[in-house]
Amino acid sequence: MKVSLLQLDITLADRARNSDLVRRRLAEAMAAGPDVVVLPELWDFGFYPKNALEFGDVGGEWSKEFLGGLARQYNVNLVGGSIINRDGDAIKNTSLVFDRTGNEIARYDKVHLFSPTRENERFRPGDRPVLFTLDGVRCGVVICYDIRFPEFIRRYALSGAEILFIPAAWPHPRSGHWRLLNIARAVENQFFVAAVNQCGPVGKTRFAGGSLLVDPWGEVLAEGGGDEAIVQADFDLNVIPDVRERIDVYRDRRPDIYGNPGPGTVGDASEL
């Protein structure tokens, strides 16, 4: 499965400019024939305007039409980063996922909100992991700060995820953490990670870029720098059973000692 990450320099509070950027970069990415294209966190308005509620896309309807239209136009699966999704008097940091026909097949609300920027005071958190299938491949999505919670990510692996998509707006001062955590999540869960980050300045914050595609051995297949880029690689999904046969952490787990954060066998999504 060929995956393309759109590492974008997002403009705060300017959806017209940002949507045009998505449209142009997606057209460029399609020259390589990707199966999946992934956008960064809050590509619509940036992370995030002080008056975010006013910018919220009610029910995600505008974004659904825009992103679904692009997926259908290019016959590509699209993990739509995340948007400011307005739900009544509340907003959520929401990722929308579309198949090749432009149908929305999954919707994930960011579970762990970043308290140092008061995201937890302005946004309503999600309450569950979300899995979906793209071209027959079991996938999951989380957003940015979520990757600091390995017990949450493990639920995806235990439920059969082979690829985890991670849109983010991760700042430059902690870029080392970004790279390290994404590689660690791939290794410990023995799946592929597709992590796309914003780049460039938004207000006083500079985002790190450094989008990366990681295999289950922790090998970085492709990686972006600090500027806008299209980062892409092929995921050989046949690697996963080989990795899990050589080092079967799922067989050797001891949930009787440290508790069970989710379903007990790979492929069992009963608790989701």
Side-chain angles (χ1 to χ4, degrees):
M1 175 176 277
K2 182 176 287 187
V3 179
S4 292
L5 310 177
L6 303 190
Q7 181 171 293
L8 304 177
D9 185 347
I10 300 299
T11 301
L12 190 67
D14 191 343
R15 185 168 66 183
R17 187 267 181 191
N18 295 330
S19 58
D20 181 64
L21 179 62
V22 167
R23 192 180 289 110
R24 288 188 288 108
R25 289 299 193 186
L26 178 57
E28 292 177 28
M30 291 309 301
D35 300 297
V36 187
V37 175
V38 193
L39 306 183
E41 179 183 14
L42 296 187
W43 63 266
D44 54 349
F45 290 109
F47 190 93
Y48 53 87
K50 290 183 178 179
N51 52 341
L53 181 64
E54 298 176 20
F55 291 99
D57 181 3
V58 178
E61 288 303 313
W62 185 92
S63 301
K64 183 176 179 178
E65 181 176 353
F66 174 67
L67 296 175
L70 289 174
R72 182 169 54 254
Q73 176 184 349
Y74 289 106
N75 187 34
V76 69
N77 299 296
L78 181 58
V79 180
S82 75
I83 61 165
I84 300 175
N85 173 25
R86 181 163 181 167
D87 181 9
D89 292 330
I91 51 173
K92 296 179 285 188
N93 189 336
T94 301
S95 182
L96 308 178
V97 181
F98 302 85
D99 66 15
R100 293 177 183 271
T101 69
N103 287 325
E104 181 187 330
I105 61 168
R107 180 174 291 217
Y108 168 75
D109 298 324
K110 187 176 182 180
V111 168
H112 301 94
L113 301 179
F114 194 58
S115 58
T117 60
R118 300 174 62 191
E119 184 186 14
N120 60 314
E121 298 178 16
R122 294 187 170 97
F123 288 76
R124 177 185 294 168
D127 59 8
R128 62 189 178 92
V130 171
L131 289 105
F132 50 92
T133 300
L134 295 177
D135 293 352
V137 179
R138 189 76 160 162
C139 304
V141 60
V142 298
I143 299 173
C144 199
Y145 190 42
D146 284 328
I147 67 169
R148 287 189 180 272
F149 300 87
E151 64 273 36
F152 180 60
I153 305 301
R154 178 51 61 94
R155 293 193 58 169
Y156 284 91
L158 291 173
S159 299
E162 296 178 280
I163 302 174
L164 184 68
F165 296 102
I166 308 170
W170 198 281
H172 189 271
R174 294 183 294 279
S175 59
H177 292 184
W178 164 254
R179 192 175 195 273
L180 177 65
L181 289 167
N182 280 302
I183 294 171
R185 298 296 86 89
V187 171
E188 69 195 7
N189 293 295
Q190 300 177 325
F191 56 25
F192 286 90
V193 163
V196 58
N197 195 23
Q198 286 189 34
C199 62
V202 174
K204 296 181 180 180
T205 302
R206 184 168 189 85
F207 293 100
S211 302
L212 65 166
L213 296 155
V214 190
D215 78 5
W217 285 116
E219 295 295 323
V220 176
L221 305 177
E223 188 170 5
D227 300 319
E228 281 198 2
I230 298 169
V231 181
Q232 50 198 13
D234 284 310
F235 285 171
D236 179 3
L237 297 165
N238 293 320
V239 168
I240 294 176
D242 178 60
V243 172
R244 293 181 177 178
E245 181 178 346
R246 290 170 182 264
I247 305 175
D248 194 344
V249 297
Y250 296 96
R251 178 195 61 208
D252 296 337
R253 291 174 67 244
R254 291 292 307 278
D256 56 312
I257 301 297
Y258 44 76
N260 191 344
T265 58
V266 174
D268 175 9
S270 60
E271 291 195 12
L272 300 181

